[in-house]
């Protein structure tokens, strides 16, 4: 199997509960490489794009409130790209099942997740579930200049009249 990349997002509850250290320690068991990471404020646009396949689900409005931080009063998430052999399935295994009550109790979701009274699975982390999904998601969350390994093809574009912020 070739090396592959996968996107992990530690959701707002993970940051609010100071679980980032514990979660990164658990993920380290996969012996993969972290090739990108950052803290992100999730906009409604990013949430809609990330979860575009779930827009019709009855739980989607709550899910959007969750990932954008409205539920926790905490709009930061930590996004990371892990890279290595079977990275997608290794990370999914350590993350555990989508439903935290059905997840292996020693998985991240089993240990730290819960089901809210609204029925939403508050499952602490996101992990890509296929190589098509990981490519789409990594390209959505990261630019090529933020990733330390060239994993997808890039192109150079010359921009004119682009407004961008710099340090003064
Ligand atoms: P996963 O995150 O395991 O890939 P998914 O992509 O199907 O699962 O769903 C995205 C998120 O939406 C999931 O992490 C939690 C929430 N969710 C999914 N199915 C749900 C359900 N039946 N009830 C409540 N929340 C759900
Ligand atoms: Mg998914």
């Amino acid at each position: 199997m070739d090396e592959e990349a996968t996107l992990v997002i530690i959701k707002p509850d993970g940051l609010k509960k100071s679980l980032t250290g514990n979660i990164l320690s658990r993920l380290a068991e996969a012996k993969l490489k972290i090739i990108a990471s950052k803290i992100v404020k999730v906009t409604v646009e990013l949430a809609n794009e990330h979860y575009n396949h779930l827009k019709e689900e009855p739980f989607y409005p709550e899910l959007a409130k969750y990932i954008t931080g409205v539920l926790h009063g905490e709009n930061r998430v930590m996004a990371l790209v892990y890279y290595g052999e079977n990275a997608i399935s290794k990370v999914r295994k350590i993350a555990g099942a989508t439903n935290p009550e059905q997840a292996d109790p020693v998985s991240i979701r089993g240990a730290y997740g819960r089901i809210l009274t609204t029925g939403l699975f508050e499952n602490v982390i996101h992990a890509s579930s296929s190589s098509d999904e990981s490519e789409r998601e990594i390209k959505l969350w990261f630019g090529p200049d933020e990733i330390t390994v060239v994993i997808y093809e890039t192109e150079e574009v010359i921009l004119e009249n682009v407004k961008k912020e710099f340090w003064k």
Side-chain angles (χ1 to χ4, degrees):
M1 174 85 199
D2 284 343
E3 300 197 298
E4 61 185 11
T6 189
L7 181 76
V8 169
I9 299 163
I10 304 180
K11 298 180 182 179
D13 50 325
L15 276 84
K16 180 122 191 205
K17 295 176 178 175
S18 289
L19 289 172
T20 45
N22 305 45
I23 292 168
L24 296 179
S25 297
R26 293 299 323 280
L27 290 170
E29 292 165 19
K31 307 271 184 267
L32 298 164
K33 260 189 204 170
I34 296 173
I35 61 168
S37 80
K38 62 181 175 182
I39 299 291
V40 182
K41 276 199 279 190
V42 183
T43 61
V44 172
E45 291 73 29
L46 177 58
N48 287 345
E49 199 51 51
H50 177 73
Y51 284 130
N52 64 5
H53 58 298
L54 298 173
K55 290 284 265 300
E56 305 305 320
E57 297 293 337
F59 58 82
Y60 185 74
E62 281 302 303
L63 178 60
K65 281 193 213 160
Y66 175 24
I67 198 71
T68 56
V70 174
L71 291 188
H72 297 89
E74 168 63 84
N75 73 354
R76 294 168 306 146
V77 304
M78 185 173 194
L80 304 110
V81 180
Y82 281 85
Y83 183 74
E85 257 179 49
N86 298 318
I88 296 169
S89 61
K90 281 179 183 163
V91 169
R92 287 286 294 190
K93 185 154 198 301
I94 295 171
T98 305
N99 179 336
E101 282 186 5
Q102 284 169 3
D104 184 332
V106 301
S107 67
I108 294 167
R109 288 166 163 183
Y112 303 124
R114 60 178 181 163
I115 301 181
L116 300 180
T117 48
T118 56
L120 185 73
F121 302 158
E122 186 186 88
N123 57 10
V124 197
I125 76 165
H126 167 82
S128 309
S129 61
S130 68
S131 61
D132 283 353
E133 192 177 274
S134 68
E135 179 171 352
R136 188 187 80 82
E137 293 176 350
I138 290 167
K139 288 177 173 173
L140 175 65
W141 286 78
F142 288 91
D145 57 337
E146 296 177 303
I147 303 184
T148 54
V149 173
V150 181
I151 43 176
Y152 308 120
E153 256 185 81
T154 59
E155 59 179 355
E156 275 186 347
V157 177
I158 296 168
L159 300 173
E160 277 174 47
N161 285 321
V162 171
K163 197 167 154 191
K164 195 170 180 253
E165 235 170 62
F166 291 92
W167 299 120
K168 251 190 196 173

